[in-house]
Amino acid sequence: DRRDSLKLARLLQAGMLRAVFVLTEEQRIHRDLVRTRRQLVRQRASVMMQVKMKLLFYSLRAPGGVRERWSQRYVATLRAMPYPHPVLRIAVEALLNDFEQLGVQISALNREILALARTETYQERVKLLTTVPGIAVLSAMEILTELGDVARFRSNEEFASYLGLTPSEYSSGERIRQGHITHCGNARLRATLVECSWSLIRVDRRMKTRYEHLKCLRGGKRAIVAVARKLAGQLRHILLHREPYIVGARANGRARSDSHGRRGKAGTSAEVAA
């Protein structure tokens, strides 16, 4: 009503309203393309699990074990397995047909995304992000399409909060207690960073040391989340300053600071609380 409109106008005039980042139509379309690929990958993983569960339910041993790579040869082996009843074979083959069809669709989307990564809009940033061990072109495109303009985050802490990687806090008086991460934010981007962190710690010795130290304190799950939070800050720096990632370098070559020149305070307490 008029009162609300007047109040909003005054707040806007005083600079007390925070602007919301809005994707352009092109950015939204690119993000939907990458998200569709992720959805199909999850559907294919679900089909794989359904096949494994059927074999387990009827005490049928999958060739090569459950960790076997699902290649065309492996799928052909599953089709040729002896099944106790023809109807069971029909059910399994229906799932395998879904698996192969999803694979065709995912391959088509991969080609489109890789072509998009070579365009002027993304080429430079993709090249920078792929200097990080564990981030390939598809992962880089997921990060860029979900992230949008990284300059809108004024500090690494603000970026981590957007990702839901900051620890929740339960404080009372002088007692400060931090719990699990908030999970409030972009879940897709958070999951991508955690996946990339597992590959990063296998290559970057400094990140591996950080992971092992925190793992001894709070367990592996919280340790990898802390690595993902550290990686998020470094990705922000890479995109803002157009500098490649240096494996093993301390804070990617220099002490990190936010855009206002303040040293980050996430520090050890946030890492341990991950």
Side-chain angles (χ1 to χ4, degrees):
D1 57 14
R2 292 179 60 86
R3 290 183 178 179
D4 293 331
S5 299
L6 180 60
K7 181 179 180 180
L8 289 173
R10 288 173 175 171
L11 291 175
L12 181 61
Q13 185 180 32
M16 299 177 65
L17 293 181
R18 184 174 179 179
V20 177
F21 177 74
V22 180
L23 295 173
T24 65
E25 183 178 2
E26 183 183 50
Q27 290 174 327
R28 189 178 299 109
I29 292 173
H30 293 169
R31 186 179 66 178
D32 285 341
L33 175 67
V34 178
R35 285 186 176 183
T36 300
R37 176 193 173 273
R38 170 69 73 167
Q39 292 169 359
L40 294 181
V41 169
R42 290 178 177 175
Q43 291 179 25
R44 185 174 63 174
S46 176
V47 171
M48 294 165 60
M49 184 60 64
Q50 292 177 53
V51 172
K52 293 177 182 179
M53 291 301 100
K54 283 188 181 297
L55 297 180
L56 180 62
F57 184 81
Y58 290 99
S59 301
L60 298 174
R61 183 180 297 276
V66 295
R67 295 185 179 274
E68 180 71 20
R69 181 176 177 270
W70 282 59
S71 61
Q72 293 182 353
R73 182 177 179 181
Y74 182 71
V75 173
T77 304
L78 290 175
R79 293 184 185 275
M81 284 180 56
Y83 293 94
H85 197 282
V87 175
L88 177 60
R89 178 184 295 276
I90 293 174
V92 173
E93 287 186 349
L95 292 173
L96 294 177
N97 291 338
D98 287 345
F99 171 81
E100 291 181 333
Q101 183 60 33
L102 287 169
V104 172
Q105 296 175 2
I106 292 171
S107 297
L109 290 178
N110 287 345
R111 290 191 293 271
E112 292 295 331
I113 295 172
L114 292 175
L116 187 62
R118 292 190 291 269
T119 61
E120 184 179 355
T121 304
Y122 295 101
Q123 186 175 21
E124 181 186 1
R125 291 180 293 167
V126 167
K127 185 177 180 180
L128 287 170
L129 291 182
T130 51
T131 61
V132 181
I135 298 182
V137 176
L138 292 176
S139 298
M141 287 299 294
E142 279 193 302
I143 294 171
L144 293 175
T145 54
E146 291 291 339
L147 182 56
D149 184 13
V150 70
R152 60 195 171 107
F153 302 106
R154 294 171 295 180
S155 65
N156 290 348
E157 290 76 20
E158 187 174 312
F159 184 32
S161 178
Y162 167 77
L163 298 173
L165 288 173
T166 54
S168 55
E169 186 169 332
Y170 307 92
S171 301
S172 177
E174 297 181 355
R175 181 181 179 184
I176 298 177
R177 179 179 179 272
Q178 292 180 319
H180 298 283
I181 59 174
T182 61
H183 291 95
C184 296
N186 193 313
R188 295 179 179 86
L189 189 51
R190 181 171 64 250
T192 298
L193 290 181
V194 172
E195 291 173 3
C196 295
S197 296
W198 284 113
S199 299
L200 176 62
I201 62 175
R202 289 197 293 266
V203 178
D204 194 315
R205 182 175 300 179
R206 183 173 294 277
M207 285 294 195
K208 176 68 172 180
T209 302
R210 176 187 298 273
Y211 169 77
E212 294 293 346
H213 172 69
L214 296 174
K215 180 181 178 181
C216 295
L217 295 176
R218 303 302 295 271
K221 185 176 180 179
R222 294 187 176 185
I224 198 64
V225 169
V227 172
R229 181 167 53 249
K230 184 67 175 179
L231 174 60
Q234 296 193 354
L235 293 183
R236 174 178 174 270
H237 178 88
I238 289 172
L239 293 174
L240 285 177
H241 299 279
R242 296 293 193 268
E243 295 180 357
Y245 184 89
I246 302 175
V247 176
R250 182 177 180 84
N252 200 19
R254 59 170 55 86
R256 288 283 185 255
S257 62
D258 61 24
S259 59
H260 300 289
R262 299 188 300 269
R263 289 291 301 272
K265 298 182 181 179
T268 57
S269 61
E271 291 175 350
V272 173

